[in-house]
Every structure is written in C-alpha cells, then in structure tokens.
Amino acid sequence: MAPRRKPPRQPRKAPVQARSEATWVAILEATIQVLGAQGFDGLTTTRVAERAGVSVGTLYQYFPNKHALVLTVLERHVDAVATMVEEACAAHHGAPLATMVSAMCGAFIGAKLRRRDMVQALQHASAELGGDEVVRRRAQRTVEAIVAMLGTSPEIDKGRVALATSVLVPAIVGVVDTALARRADAHALRAIERELTVLGTAYLHAAAA
Amino acid sequence: MAPRRKPPRQPRKAPVQARSEATWVAILEATIQVLGAQGFDGLTTTRVAERAGVSVGTLYQYFPNKHALVLTVLERHVDAVATMVEEACAAHHGAPLATMVSAMCGAFIGAKLRRRDMVQALQHASAELGGDEVVRRRAQRTVEAIVAMLGTSPEIDKGRVALATSVLVPAIVGVVDTALARRADAHALRAIERELTVLGTAYLHAAAA
DNA sequence: ACCTGAACACCGTTCAAGT
DNA sequence: ACCTGAACACCGTTCAAGT
C-alpha cells in the first residue's frame, strides 16, 4: 500500500515479444479474476502471479506496482464504456433532443450492465489513488462527443451546451453508479433510464431559456 | 488490509470512563490529522496511535480495525452534511419550488465546502469497504426530509415526488462531488449551484407532466 | 530477453504482562 | 479498568542468479 523505502521506478515498458505479450495479457486477466473472486482487499500480487502462472518477479517486470495492475484494468473498462457512449452520440446527430438524451443514457447503462461483474469489482478501486484521474481523462473525449451531438439540435441554446453537458454528465453518472452500487435490477434500471431522459431533456430545454 | 487468520472480534464497546472518552476522541482526531497530512495510503495504525499519544494496543481497544477508524470519521462527516441539508429543507416548507431546490443545493455545497479538507482526505476512503454503505444509510433520512419539503409544493405531482427525489439526490451529489474532486473554486461552485437549481427545478416540473 | 523465488522492510493485529 | 509493546503473520517489492 504505502510506498516503500526506495523511490518508485519507471513504469515497465510494454512487452516486445510474442511470449511476453501473452504474459502481459495473462497477468491482466488474472487480476480481473482475482478481483472478481476475492474482492479488492483480497487482491494480492502473489495471488495474481500464481493465477497467471508466473512468479511475482515477472509480474513486476510488466507492472510497476499493484496500483498499476488495477488501474490498467480500470482504464480498459472505462474506455469500453466511453467508446459505446460515443458511438451512440455519433449515431444520433440531428435526432430530436429527447431521443439524443435517451440514446446516450441507454448506451451508458447498457455498457455498464454488460460488464456488471467488472463494475462491481472495480467499485472500490475507482476511488483509489489515480482512479478518478483515469475516469476524468477518458471522460473528456466523451463529453466532446456529447457536445457535438447536442450541437446539432435546434432545441438548445448553443452558447450553453458546453456548460450544460459538463453538469449533465456527472449527474447521469452519479445516478447510474448509485443505482448499480445498490444492486438495482434490470427493471429498476430501465425506470431510471426513463427518469434520466426526462431529467436531461427538461434541463437542456430549460438551459435554453 | 486483508483479514488475518483469526475471525474479526466484536467491535469494541464505547468507553465508559472520562479518561477513556478522552482517549477515544484523541484517536479519532489523530486519524483526521494523519489522513489530512499523509493521505489514505499513509494512514498507519502505528502512526495514528503515536499521534494520539497512546500505544497501538490501546487503539485496538477502541476500534476493531483500521477500517473502523476511517469509517467513524466518515460517519461523523456525512452526518454533519446531512444534518445541514435537512435543516435547510425544514426551513423551506411552502417556498416556491426553485427556492427549495436552490436552498438544498446551497446547503449541500456549503456543508461540503466548510469541511473541504476532510472531503479531500475522505475522498479515497469513501469507496472502501462499507464506505458507501455509511453514506447510503444516512442519506435515507435526508431523502425523506427532501420529500417532505417538496410535498408542500403545489408545483409538483405528489405521486412522483419520491421517485424524482431518489433520482435527483444522486444527480446533485454526483455533480458536486465531481466538481470537488476537480478542485473547483468557490466561484465555479456557485455557477454549479445555479445550474443544479435550473436542473432540479426543470426536472421536478417535468416530472409533474 | 525473460523468468525465478528467497530476502527485506514494512504493516495490521494480538495478547501476556503491567499499572 | 486501562494501557504497553514485543511478537506474529502477512504483503508489496527487489535483485542476484538462472534459462
């Protein structure tokens, strides 16, 4: 947990050979499995290495520390979710405002649901050092995709799209994440998706006034 | 971090004598100080005990483990914030809807700002085991206070107040927490408070339709 | 070029012994 | 009734030695 005596080393380079590429993947997959099975507190470098079929020393050739292990898993998951939302945005340029909002909420909820086990496993990790930084960095591009989509709607005041989006996104994320943390089922999530569509549409209309 | 061999013991009883009450407070205050100075990863039972002027053994007479230490601090902070929001709600029964929403957002942001250092220190801890459970439990009562306030408004459909509130609260929390995590200054937070008032009012009006 | 695993420096937690 | 601190079982991380 806390850094030890010596200053942290450079992050390991990405693997260059086929064998090591496979090792890298194996370690990441082992991380996901251990995370899912034992939870964040049960995540041990020894355990991950064991599950990946390598020694701890090898693990440390690919990842500078335990944090990096989890952060990489988080990074890939966040990227998957963000990409799906961005695709939904791209597909709804010029649509009615309510459809836009519904599409982006639906894509977000759908993406999270598809990987629900990982969402669960990463819940505790997200707030760890650097976790929200990872989310923040990737979210930026998604916000731009949403702004671009909303910009095609005649129902919104163009001058307020950026601000409104930067408020609406954390609002939606907050509602969905809270619901998932409470283990809401698919039915409840559909109701939430409808509410969020109402909320988003009403806010964006109001922001124009 | 991970539980050790033996099963966890009963949580220690609250102190019964004046001296031990003082010790209890000293340990909690030491936790806050270490958390603020060294961050969550630097939080060590030895360090906390040292700062509180007691031995580790004593610390474990008052708190069953390190988690409980942080959780207790979190619990008290969450309670302080919740109480302020509930007071704002009680004070605005019968007010215009926009005033209600503005009051509750203002109270929430104000409470968080007043203890900004603690918000910062607890950021990482909140997602740890049991962290969101603490928040959830206390939030329930606050939601009821908000529902009671909104129920006095003729501008909202009574049948939808409960659902709308349960969506609106995590939306507001999500937006404010994200802003605080990004170290938004007081000026930015005021802008966010205005946006949230627009968002909340528009949503509650729309929920009536 | 990649892997191993014993060794090191911690940390959380306990418990026999003290006052 | 409360406190101490050495002792124990772990865990993250490194590095000399292997293939």
Side-chain angles (χ1 to χ4, degrees), chain A residues 124 127-128 160 163 195 203, chain B residues 124 127-128 160 163 195 203:
Chain A
H124 298 308
E128 281 291 311
R160 302 205 50 188
L163 176 60
E195 287 300 317
Y203 173 48
Chain B
H124 298 307
E128 280 292 310
R160 301 206 49 188
L163 176 60
E195 287 299 316
Y203 172 49

Side-chain angles (χ1 to χ4, degrees), chain A residues 8-204:
Chain A
R9 307 283 223 74
Q10 302 298 328
R12 272 56 173 171
K13 304 184 265 193
V16 289
Q17 294 204 349
R19 182 157 53 126
S20 59
E21 163 76 27
T23 306
W24 189 80
V25 171
I27 293 172
L28 264 197
E29 254 155 29
T31 303
I32 295 171
Q33 284 177 36
V34 174
L35 214 49
Q38 322 266 356
F40 186 69
D41 275 355
L43 190 80
T44 285
T45 48
T46 319
R47 197 122 59 184
V48 170
E50 195 179 348
R51 183 120 199 169
V54 299
S55 74
V56 236
T58 299
L59 187 155
Y60 277 90
Q61 274 190 326
Y62 293 91
F63 298 90
N65 50 47
K66 192 181 147 181
H67 267 125
L69 224 46
V70 184
L71 245 44
T72 305
V73 172
L74 178 65
E75 214 159 28
R76 302 179 117 210
H77 174 247
V78 167
D79 185 61
V81 172
T83 299
M84 299 197 75
V85 174
E86 286 157 21
E87 283 172 1
C89 287
H92 289 84
H93 279 219
L97 185 57
T99 305
M100 286 181 177
V101 176
S102 174
M104 86 191 197
C105 289
F108 182 62
I109 292 174
K112 288 244 175 185
L113 266 185
R114 203 180 326 266
R115 304 235 170 208
R116 182 139 200 185
D117 53 336
M118 204 176 292
V119 169
Q120 199 81 26
L122 288 170
Q123 197 108 53
H124 298 308
S126 301
E128 281 291 311
L129 195 64
D132 30 357
E133 171 59 27
V134 167
V135 174
R136 174 161 48 236
R137 194 165 40 223
R138 186 59 180 81
Q140 181 52 36
R141 221 200 305 168
T142 305
V143 166
E144 284 162 18
I146 295 171
V147 169
M149 171 181 71
L150 294 177
T152 67
S153 172
E155 303 176 52
I156 322 178
D157 173 0
K158 297 281 189 286
R160 302 205 50 188
V161 172
L163 176 60
T165 302
S166 74
V167 168
L168 192 53
V169 166
I172 292 169
V173 171
V175 172
V176 173
D177 281 358
T178 300
L180 287 172
R182 294 185 191 188
R183 307 181 205 288
D185 58 20
H187 182 266
L189 283 169
R190 229 153 340 173
I192 284 170
E193 186 180 326
R194 279 195 304 272
E195 287 300 317
L196 283 177
T197 303
V198 172
L199 183 150
T201 309
Y203 173 48
L204 291 170

Side-chain angles (χ1 to χ4, degrees), chain B residues 132-207:
Chain B
D132 30 357
E133 171 58 28
V134 168
V135 173
R136 173 161 49 237
R137 193 166 40 224
R138 186 61 180 83
Q140 182 52 37
R141 220 199 308 167
T142 305
V143 165
E144 284 161 18
I146 294 171
V147 169
M149 173 181 71
L150 294 177
T152 68
S153 172
E155 303 176 51
I156 322 178
D157 173 0
K158 297 280 189 288
R160 301 206 49 188
V161 173
L163 176 60
T165 301
S166 74
V167 168
L168 192 53
V169 166
I172 291 169
V173 172
V175 171
V176 173
D177 281 357
T178 301
L180 287 171
R182 295 186 190 186
R183 306 179 204 289
D185 58 21
H187 182 267
L189 283 169
R190 227 154 341 174
I192 284 169
E193 187 180 326
R194 279 195 303 272
E195 287 299 316
L196 283 177
T197 303
V198 171
L199 182 150
T201 309
Y203 172 49
L204 291 171
H205 271 142

